[in-house]
Amino acid sequence: MGHMINIGVIGYGYWGPNLVRNFMDLPGVQVRTVSDFKPELLAKAQSRYPTIQVTTNCKDIFADPKIDAVAIATPVSTHFDLALAALQAGKHVLVEKPMAVSSEQAMRLIEEAQKRKLVLMVDHTFVYTGAVRKMRELITTSVIGDIYYYDSVRVNLGLFQHDVNVIWDLAVHDLSIMDYLLARQPYAVSATGINHIPGEPENIAYLTLFFESNLIAHIHVNWLAPVKVRRTLIGGSQKMIVYDDLEPSEKVKIYDKGITVNSKNSESVYQMLIGYRAGDMWSPHLDMTEALRTEGLHFIRCIEQGERPITDGEAGLRVVRILEAATQSVKRQGRLVELDLERVAA
Ligand SMILES: NC(=O)c1ccc[n+]([C@@H]2O[C@H](COP(=O)([O-])OP(=O)(O)OC[C@H]3O[C@@H](n4cnc5c(N)ncnc54)[C@H](O)[C@@H]3O)[C@@H](O)[C@H]2O)c1
């Protein structure tokens, strides 16, 4: 076995403790230091993990030569400064989603990591779930056929964020899942949204993404919904998927449903026959390992083997570019905003 990988975690609010718990569980890995501004959160970390050092000054993490990698779980507006400082201190970085507040910042981080040959990974957590990995397998092995649409609803009551709108908070999950599943980029985005609390960011939004070859995606996100829904339909020419993340185990259901267009005998398009196929439904067995564990193992392997993460800086950038375009579109009540496909090609 190689040497122990030491991790510093910045931000111990809602999400940070999940990162710490998962890293502490991995073989050959230890969280050496946790940083947060709030001493009461640090006290919690320390009582749970007595071996961990704590500090209110994250510079202590950058300055510690024993720390190999830094995980950043602070508000989005702070990701860039913290990730850049970590890279400049020679640390590998795992940064929370969304990677940064602008594509310019994301590109700067990619450049810094490349220059220093450091791993830069974005926590697009869902990509590491058994459900999403199974759907990717079904898509890449042509079980689903040509993808016609991706249609997702991600709504619940709360947690209202103050520094980002609901698109940057929730749609980012769908965008990162789509980036992985479809491995294709939209050429244009149209988005609408509104805020119901004066001066606060949009709490409800609808995004439509246009892709070449008749693939369309729609994402509906909302912090002001009476019930929690996490449901995605993926329509394909061969099969259709219903992905319900709230289902305890049968999160992915594959329906052998669809249409066949039969125009053999028709003299005009009006006589085109649509046949409906309603076959079986099945739910594949899923790897139920916690996503952050799978992701943590992947991060460590990338550090040790010099591999490129699945959710690398480029993946983070592609998602941020769509978020930026959606934000522009919302400001103009859904005006189509085009994305430069050349620039986002990985
Ligand atoms: N991957 C996921 O599924 C997922 C889920 C939730 C949140 N997140 C992401 O995690 C990040 C944090 O979200 P949260 O809900 O945990 O926020 P939070 O406000 O609960 O926690 C953030 C913590 O960071 C601390 N902090 C901020 N700047 C700091 C600094 N310079 N040094 C030390 N500590 C600092 C704050 O004191 C706070 O305790 C966000 O980017 C969010 O998008 C990801």
Side-chain angles (χ1 to χ4, degrees):
M1 255 191 58
H3 89 296
M4 180 71 86
I5 299 257
N6 284 295
I7 311 238
V9 176
I10 306 176
Y12 199 76
Y14 166 64
W15 197 247
N18 293 323
L19 296 176
V20 173
R21 174 172 52 79
N22 276 282
F23 278 127
M24 286 300 274
D25 253 9
L26 297 183
V29 178
Q30 77 185 9
V31 175
R32 182 170 162 85
T33 311
V34 169
S35 177
D36 200 289
F37 289 144
K38 297 178 186 149
E40 66 274 20
L41 296 178
L42 295 178
K44 266 194 203 169
Q46 209 154 35
S47 77
R48 183 129 178 230
Y49 309 100
T51 59
I52 286 181
Q53 301 176 355
V54 295
T55 175
T56 52
N57 186 354
C58 63
K59 289 193 178 125
D60 294 340
I61 287 180
F62 305 141
D64 184 344
K66 288 224 167 74
I67 289 181
D68 306 284
V70 177
I72 299 165
T74 56
V76 183
S77 55
T78 67
H79 290 177
F80 175 71
D81 286 343
L82 294 173
L84 187 65
L87 291 168
Q88 286 174 337
K91 316 296 188 197
H92 303 284
V93 166
L94 172 65
V95 63
E96 266 316 314
K97 61 82 194 165
M99 183 184 181
V101 299
S102 71
S103 51
E104 230 166 89
Q105 289 187 345
M107 286 188 286
R108 178 75 187 84
L109 293 178
I110 290 168
E111 180 192 73
E112 193 66 30
Q114 257 165 10
K115 196 170 82 188
R116 296 175 183 273
K117 298 195 164 38
L118 293 166
V119 173
L120 172 60
M121 178 159 149
V122 183
D123 180 13
H124 287 170
T125 317
F126 280 95
V127 165
Y128 300 93
T129 59
V132 173
R133 287 185 300 138
K134 175 58 75 176
M135 289 191 287
R136 159 110 176 165
E137 183 192 312
L138 293 166
I139 289 171
T140 56
T141 56
S142 304
V143 172
I144 308 304
D146 298 332
I147 309 292
Y148 291 155
Y149 63 82
Y150 180 102
D151 184 323
S152 179
V153 179
R154 192 176 293 274
V155 305
N156 52 265
L157 189 63
L159 304 153
F160 278 70
Q161 308 281 317
H162 307 285
D163 65 334
V164 291
N165 67 19
V166 70
I167 298 176
W168 288 73
D169 183 48
L170 292 184
V172 60
H173 290 303
D174 293 291
L175 297 175
S176 61
I177 293 169
M178 284 171 52
D179 184 70
Y180 179 62
L181 289 185
L182 308 176
R184 276 202 264 174
Q185 294 304 301
Y187 65 82
V189 180
S190 162
T192 49
I194 210 151
N195 61 319
H196 293 101
I197 303 171
E200 288 291 309
E202 289 83 6
N203 52 270
I204 179 166
Y206 305 96
L207 273 72
T208 307
L209 311 178
F210 300 91
F211 294 76
E212 265 143 23
S213 61
N214 286 351
L215 166 61
I216 193 164
H218 188 262
I219 300 169
H220 163 196
V221 284
N222 185 356
W223 284 327
L224 195 53
V227 290
K228 184 170 179 172
V229 181
R230 296 282 185 268
R231 197 162 53 206
T232 304
L233 305 183
I234 300 174
S237 57
Q238 300 301 316
K239 301 277 187 295
M240 303 205 220
I241 300 177
V242 176
Y243 164 39
D244 187 342
D245 196 47
L246 300 185
E247 282 280 331
S249 61
E250 296 178 354
K251 293 177 188 295
V252 176
K253 296 194 172 100
I254 295 118
Y255 289 82
D256 183 16
K257 290 195 183 191
I259 53 166
T260 46
V261 181
N262 197 338
S263 55
K264 257 198 323 251
N265 299 321
S266 61
E267 255 106 76
S268 78
V269 288
Y270 301 106
Q271 288 178 325
M272 203 169 260
L273 294 174
I274 306 274
Y276 299 92
R277 187 179 75 254
D280 292 342
M281 180 277 285
W282 58 287
S283 184
H285 174 75
L286 302 178
D287 178 358
M288 295 301 274
T289 307
E290 186 176 350
L292 280 182
R293 181 180 175 83
T294 305
E295 183 175 344
L297 285 166
H298 182 56
F299 182 54
I300 299 304
R301 204 186 49 232
C302 289
I303 290 172
E304 287 178 335
Q305 317 284 331
E307 277 176 36
R308 185 171 168 166
I310 298 170
T311 55
D312 60 0
E314 310 282 345
L317 170 63
R318 289 193 296 271
V319 167
V320 167
R321 284 178 52 82
I322 300 172
L323 293 171
E324 275 180 331
T327 303
Q328 279 179 37
S329 182
V330 166
K331 286 196 188 117
R332 290 181 278 160
Q333 278 197 309
R335 243 238 327 261
L336 198 70
V337 174
E338 295 197 8
L339 284 155
D340 183 354
L341 284 180
E342 297 292 305
R343 284 186 60 201
V344 290

